[in-house]
């Protein structure tokens, strides 16, 4: 009787230890990422880390991707599915490294929806498909102070420059520099003296 009770207690204790170990590894593993790709495709550069450390206000990243249109649309759009997963993974890496200053929202804009209108208002490029469907694949970054920058469309030929494009977008949206415009003319464009 005592040996049976000890055996049951030992099995229960082993299960508790095993489950605890799994939970601890799961929690720690979710935060740790290891890039095992040949060219460190998913690793962020020093410059990107520097820009992320300069984030001083919460910034929202809205990734617009017409998933349903890509699945149902022509064969050429289906190759964007892999690129979408790459872009999303990269953006999740940015969010993880931002210290809580970036928030990622993934939006699938449907035809005649508020999301589609928001994408158009933000300046994203719409590719019309058959019927009333459209294809969007762009990014809008906006700060709490209302500053907004966009990548109107993620082109496949710029895939190698994705980190550069994303970091440039973030740098522009957090930059407080105003653009200076100069006028050079022999005509009295500034009015009479």
């Amino acid at each position: 009787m005592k040996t049976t009770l000890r055996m049951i207690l030992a099995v229960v204790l082993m299960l508790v230890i095993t489950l605890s170990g799994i939970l601890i590894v799961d929690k720690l593993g979710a935060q740790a990422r290891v890039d095992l790709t040949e060219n460190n495709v998913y690793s962020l550069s020093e410059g990107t880390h520097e820009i992320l450390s300069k984030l001083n206000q919460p910034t929202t990243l809205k990734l617009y991707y017409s998933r349903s249109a890509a699945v149902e649309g022509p064969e050429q759009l289906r190759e964007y599915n892999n690129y979408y997963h790459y872009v999303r993974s990269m953006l999740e890496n940015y969010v993880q490294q931002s210290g809580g200053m970036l928030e990622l929202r993934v939006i699938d804009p449907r035809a005649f929806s508020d999301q589609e209108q928001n994408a158009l208002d933000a300046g994203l490029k719409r590719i019309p498909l058959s019927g009333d469907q459209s294809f969007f694949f762009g990014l809008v970054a906006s700060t709490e102070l209302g500053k907004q920058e966009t990548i109107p469309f993620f082109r496949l030929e710029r895939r190698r420059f994705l980190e550069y494009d994303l970091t440039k977008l973030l740098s522009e949206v957090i930059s407080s520099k105003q653009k200076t415009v100069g006028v050079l003319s022999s005509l009295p464009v500034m009015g009479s003296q």
Side-chain angles (χ1 to χ4, degrees), residues 7-20:
M7 289 291 284
I8 292 173
L9 187 59
V11 168
V12 169
L13 191 58
M14 290 290 278
L15 283 173
V16 169
I17 291 171
T18 303
L19 289 175
S20 298

Side-chain angles (χ1 to χ4, degrees), residues 148-165:
Q148 180 175 299
E149 295 291 333
T150 63
I151 295 176
F153 192 80
F154 285 105
R155 297 187 332 250
L156 286 171
E157 59 269 12
R158 291 218 32 102
R159 182 181 185 136
R160 294 181 352 177
F161 306 107
L162 177 63
E163 182 181 359
Y164 172 81
D165 291 339

Side-chain angles (χ1 to χ4, degrees), residues 78-120:
R78 294 197 186 118
E79 61 187 289
Y80 278 96
N81 282 326
N82 288 336
Y83 190 29
Y84 158 74
H85 289 294
Y86 176 57
V87 169
R88 183 174 178 168
S89 177
M90 196 68 134
L91 288 171
E92 288 169 350
N93 198 359
Y94 274 66
V95 169
Q96 185 181 17
Q97 300 294 322
S98 73
M101 297 305 272
L102 289 177
E103 175 191 358
L104 176 62
R105 296 181 190 163
V106 179
I107 300 168
D108 183 0
R110 305 292 173 129
F112 307 111
S113 68
D114 290 339
Q115 291 93 357
E116 181 184 50
Q117 190 59 49
N118 292 341
L120 291 171

Side-chain angles (χ1 to χ4, degrees), residues 17-58:
I17 291 171
T18 303
L19 289 175
S20 298
I22 290 172
L23 289 174
I24 289 170
V25 168
D26 185 48
K27 276 287 191 201
L28 294 176
Q31 295 172 356
R33 287 182 125 185
V34 177
D35 185 0
L36 299 176
T37 58
E38 184 176 331
N39 296 323
N40 293 325
V41 175
Y42 294 98
S43 296
L44 301 179
S45 68
E46 295 281 331
T48 298
H49 284 289
E50 187 177 321
I51 295 293
L52 289 173
S53 70
K54 291 180 183 178
L55 284 172
N56 57 4
Q57 59 182 308

Side-chain angles (χ1 to χ4, degrees), residues 116-132:
E116 181 184 50
Q117 190 59 49
N118 292 341
L120 291 171
D121 291 344
L124 296 187
K125 183 178 178 183
R126 172 169 77 183
I127 297 176
L129 301 175
S130 61
D132 58 353

